[in-house]
Amino acid sequence: MRAMQVTAYDAPLSLKDLEMPVPGPGEVLVKIDTCGMNFGDTLMIKGTYQEKPPLPFTIGMELAGRVVGLGDGVSSLAKDQRIAAYTGFGGLSEYAVIPAEICVPIPDEMNAVDAAAFLIAYGTSHVALDYKAGLKPGERLLVLGASGGVGLTAVELGKLMGAEVIACARGKAKLEICRKLGADHLIDSETDDIRAAVKSLGGADVVYDPIGGDQFKAAMRACNPEARLLPLGFASGDVPQIPANILLVKNLTVLGFYWGGYARIKPSVLTDSFRTLIDWYVAGKVKPHVSNVLPLEQANEALDLLRTRKATGKVVVQVSEPE
């Protein structure tokens, strides 16, 4: 089987021929159709992600495919069943062995591209806004990096949950996509004063931040009393230092959030969220925005779209040709 592997840190992926894996007890063999790319993949290639597999390894945190083999003791899945899974790595490969317990059956209504673009982006935003921040109808939600893979889902879900949504992104074209997905107010991070713009709208009750750096600092100073801030990534490359005096004076709450960590510490948070999100998808309430679909051989180009922030929404790699 073919796989795009990291053979050295901070270097392009290499297309390799590997032995077909064999599922063990509690595992399934999956023929991978599609793999959703994430900013975390670019960090994993550099060796700076919070999880660091030994070299060489295959990146790709989320995937969709079909079960083609069952290990001993697997009764929850069947051969030819379509699934999606958050695996952390391994998605840029034609086949993978995956624990059956982390596989999410996907409905017939969901195509393979949407399935690969769904779990992390929607799961991150739903758990962040619902489980962590307790976003309430009528609250004002500020989404930084609003045109990115997770940012767009935060705009979409925030609106679905009844919030007044402020989308902050770079450039009119990206902001127009945010508007189409439900944003009530638009802020151009290249030209606008984020703090002043948010305060003029009445301040933020919840801040969703995958960017960090100066944008986090501006957002924090535009928060209303008792606002909740969700730092969930640092795409700017700058991890902000949070002044405790501002938290104290405004009674602010900063909620550290790593979506993938719940797979280990409290899996029910993810599985409960998935059930809600898939129901919303089938009902037509949510639809992944995928800006680019590239073949396996062009996985390096797919990653460049994330690094350079040229993508809006998700980038998906078509690992195997659709049957």
Side-chain angles (χ1 to χ4, degrees), residues 54-65:
L55 293 170
F57 63 90
T58 303
I59 65 164
M61 297 181 173
E62 60 183 330
L63 58 88

Side-chain angles (χ1 to χ4, degrees), residues 37-59:
M37 306 310 298
N38 293 275
F39 188 75
D41 292 311
T42 68
L43 301 180
M44 195 171 282
I45 289 170
K46 295 170 66 177
T48 59
Y49 194 63
Q50 51 258 42
E51 297 181 24
K52 193 173 181 180
L55 293 170
F57 63 90
T58 303
I59 65 164

Side-chain angles (χ1 to χ4, degrees), residues 140 164 166 185-187 193-204 222 224:
R140 195 169 294 113
E164 180 183 345
I166 306 170
H185 311 285
L186 306 175
I187 296 175
D193 182 325
I194 295 174
R195 178 185 180 185
V198 174
K199 288 180 73 68
S200 72
L201 294 169
N224 292 326

Side-chain angles (χ1 to χ4, degrees), residues 71-240:
D72 290 342
V74 175
S75 58
S76 58
L77 298 170
K79 281 190 176 181
D80 292 324
Q81 186 166 2
R82 298 176 66 235
I83 63 94
Y86 166 72
T87 56
F89 55 93
L92 288 182
S93 178
E94 292 177 323
Y95 292 86
V97 163
I98 303 171
E101 65 180 2
I102 70 169
C103 294
V104 179
I106 53 178
D108 293 339
E109 296 92 338
M110 182 178 284
N111 63 51
V113 170
D114 281 358
F118 195 79
L119 294 185
I120 292 179
Y122 279 102
T124 296
S125 293
H126 184 247
V127 175
L129 297 177
D130 184 57
Y131 179 78
K132 290 291 286 189
L135 180 67
K136 302 177 184 67
E139 289 193 307
R140 195 169 294 113
L141 168 66
L142 170 62
V143 181
L144 303 178
S147 65
V150 294
L152 277 177
T153 62
V155 170
E156 189 177 6
L157 294 181
K159 190 65 176 177
L160 184 60
M161 294 167 69
E164 180 183 345
V165 180
I166 306 170
C168 181
R170 295 198 300 177
K172 292 181 179 179
K174 291 182 176 181
L175 286 170
E176 176 60 19
I177 295 172
C178 298
R179 185 191 64 77
K180 289 180 178 178
L181 287 178
D184 298 288
H185 311 285
L186 306 175
I187 296 175
D188 191 330
S189 60
E190 285 188 316
T191 59
D192 295 337
D193 182 325
I194 295 174
R195 178 185 180 185
V198 174
K199 288 180 73 68
S200 72
L201 294 169
D205 301 306
V206 174
V207 175
Y208 180 101
D209 178 26
I211 303 298
D214 290 339
Q215 291 194 33
F216 178 90
K217 296 172 187 176
M220 181 174 59
R221 286 168 170 80
C223 279
N224 292 326
E226 295 194 316
R228 291 88 74 202
L229 298 98
L230 291 154
L232 47 95
F234 310 104
S236 67
D238 180 2
V239 179

Side-chain angles (χ1 to χ4, degrees), residues 104-110 118-119 122-123 126 156-157 160 270-288:
V104 179
I106 53 178
D108 293 339
E109 296 92 338
M110 182 178 284
F118 195 79
L119 294 185
Y122 279 102
H126 184 247
E156 189 177 6
L157 294 181
L160 184 60
L270 302 188
T271 54
D272 290 347
S273 173
F274 290 155
R275 279 192 286 268
T276 297
L277 290 167
I278 288 174
D279 286 347
W280 285 350
Y281 179 93
V282 173
K285 295 181 178 180
V286 296
K287 169 71 174 175

